[in-house]
Amino acid sequence: MNDERDQSETRVVEAGRRKEWTQGIVNTPIYRASTILFDSVAAMRAAGAGQVGTLHYGRSGTPTQWSLAEALTELEPGAAGTRLFPSGLAAIGCALLSVLKPGDQLLMVHSAYGPTRNLCDTLLKRHQIDTVYYDPLIGAGIEGLIGPDTRAIFMESPGSLTFEVQDVPAICAVAGRRGITTLLDNTWATPLLFPAIAAGVDLAILACTKYIVGHSDVMLGSVTAAQNHWQTLEQTSRSLGQHVSPDDAFLAARGLRTLSVRLRQHERSALAVAHWLADHSKVARVLHPALPSCLGHESWARDFRGSSGLFSIELASGDDDDVAALIDGLAHFGIGYSWGGFESLALPVDLARLRSLDRPHPGPMLRLHIGLESVEDLIADLARGLDRYG
Ligand SMILES: Cc1ncc(COP(=O)(O)O)c(C=O)c1O
C-alpha cells in the first residue's frame, strides 16, 4: 500500500509538466487568453474545435489549465481525462448533468455535502430527476434500491460532517453489473489516499478548493472520468461553457506539487489530536475515519492509503451556546467555512438543519480541520476550550 502511495507522490511532482507547455520553466506559466490569433484562415480551420494541446479560443484553455487537468488525470490510474470547474459544487453539478436526463432516478448518499443535496432537491427536481437518499453504510445492499429508472449512484466518502466511510468497491461492483453510472466526491481523500477510478468509480470529483489548492485562496473543482464517461463529460462541460482562469489553475497546480507532504502532516497531526480528544472525558465520540468509533471504519482500513486532516467530535453534554463558547475562545483555530488549507479551522455542526433522516447524535458536534501548526499548540488550545465548556 505504501509503495503505491510513494509512486503517486512522484506523480504529484512530475505530472502535467510537459516540456511543450512549460518551455523548460519548472511550473507551467500563466498563459492568459481570450482571442488566439492565427496566421491564416487555413490555420484557423486546422486548429479544430478546441482540443487539448491546440490553442483555439480562451474558453478551451491554454497550457496552464491543460497542465493541471493532465496532472489530475495522471493521479487517477485508469482515467481518460479531467475537466476543470470554477468550484467544487460546479464540478458536482456538471458531473450529474452529464449523466442524468428527465425521468431518471438518482441514488444520493444521505451524508452528502449540503449544497449537493440542495442541487438534487431544487434544480434536478425541477428537471424531473428524482433523488432517493440512501444510508452511507448500505454497501452492496444498494442493489435493493435500484429501480427501472435508476441511472446514477452518487457517493461521498467519508461523508460530510459525520464522516461515514462507504463501501465504494461494493457499490461500484453492483452498479457496474446493472449498467449504472457511479460518481464519487473524493475531496477528503484526494486520489493520493483513494484512487477512485481504479476502485471502479466512473466520475471522480474533487473540490480542489480544499487540499489540491491547499492555501485557502482559490475556488476550483475537477471531474476525472473513466474512459466510457469521458466524452459525455467533456461535451457537457463545454456546452455549459465551464472554464477556470489560468491564474487559478496556476495556483492549484502550485498547491498540487506539495500535496503529498502537506497531507502526511495533516494526517499525523489530525490523528494525534483525534486520539487525544478520544481520551477526553468531555468528548463522547470522535468521528474520524481512522478511528474505530467512526462508522465505516473497516472500509477505510481496507481501502484507503491514509487519512487527512478533517474530522468531527461529539461532545458528552452541553448545548449550542457551550459549543460557541468553546470555539470562540480558540487561539489557533479560525472560524470559517471550507477546509484543506494550511490553517486549522473549527465549525459548529448543526445536523438538524442539514439533514432529515440522520442517526441520532445526542451531544452537540463540532468539526475540526487540523492544519500545519504545531500539534502541541493545537492540543493545548483545545484543552483550554474544553475547560471553558460545560
Ligand atoms: C465534500 C465537499 N464537496 C464539495 C464541496 C464544494 O466545493 P466548493 O466550495 O469548491 O464549491 C465542499 C465544500 O466545502 C465539500 O466539503
Side-chain angles (χ1 to χ4, degrees), residues 28-90:
T28 309
I30 299 174
Y31 294 93
R32 300 189 56 86
S34 57
T35 298
I36 311 289
L37 299 174
F38 299 93
D39 287 343
S40 64
V41 171
M44 186 183 224
R45 288 192 176 130
Q51 272 63 264
V52 167
T54 307
L55 287 169
H56 170 263
Y57 175 51
R59 206 172 54 225
S60 304
T62 67
T64 319
Q65 294 100 330
W66 303 338
S67 175
L68 173 63
E70 183 168 286
L72 293 171
T73 305
E74 284 184 38
L75 286 181
E76 284 282 5
T82 297
R83 295 295 292 179
L84 302 177
F85 297 88
S87 70
L89 185 58

Side-chain angles (χ1 to χ4, degrees), residues 127-142:
H127 289 269
Q128 285 85 49
I129 294 160
D130 179 38
T131 300
V132 170
Y133 289 96
Y134 68 88
D135 188 318
L137 302 176
I138 198 166
I142 195 97

Side-chain angles (χ1 to χ4, degrees), residues 85-92 111-116 154 156 158-160 185-188 205-210 218-221 310 337-339 367:
F85 297 88
S87 70
L89 185 58
I92 291 167
S111 47
Y113 175 57
T116 303
F154 192 103
E156 183 184 318
S160 276
D185 183 334
N186 197 26
T187 302
W188 184 88
I205 301 161
L206 294 176
C208 299
T209 310
K210 321 298 175 194
V218 173
M219 302 293 298
L220 206 130
L310 188 76
Y337 296 109
S338 202
W339 48 280
R367 189 187 75 180

Side-chain angles (χ1 to χ4, degrees), residues 35 69 76 107 157 173-174 308 329 368:
T35 298
E76 284 282 5
L107 300 182
S157 180
V174 170
S308 61
L368 299 173

Side-chain angles (χ1 to χ4, degrees), residues 110-180:
H110 187 52
S111 47
Y113 175 57
T116 303
R117 292 175 56 114
N118 180 60
L119 173 70
C120 299
D121 299 342
T122 56
L123 187 121
L124 294 190
K125 189 172 175 193
R126 217 165 51 235
H127 289 269
Q128 285 85 49
I129 294 160
D130 179 38
T131 300
V132 170
Y133 289 96
Y134 68 88
D135 188 318
L137 302 176
I138 198 166
I142 195 97
E143 186 137 28
L145 296 183
I146 293 174
D149 299 325
T150 309
R151 179 88 183 83
I153 302 174
F154 192 103
M155 299 166 276
E156 183 184 318
S157 180
S160 276
L161 305 174
T162 40
F163 295 89
E164 295 92 340
V165 185
Q166 295 193 246
D167 191 341
V168 173
I171 291 176
C172 290
V174 170
R177 213 167 357 93
R178 302 289 297 265
I180 291 165

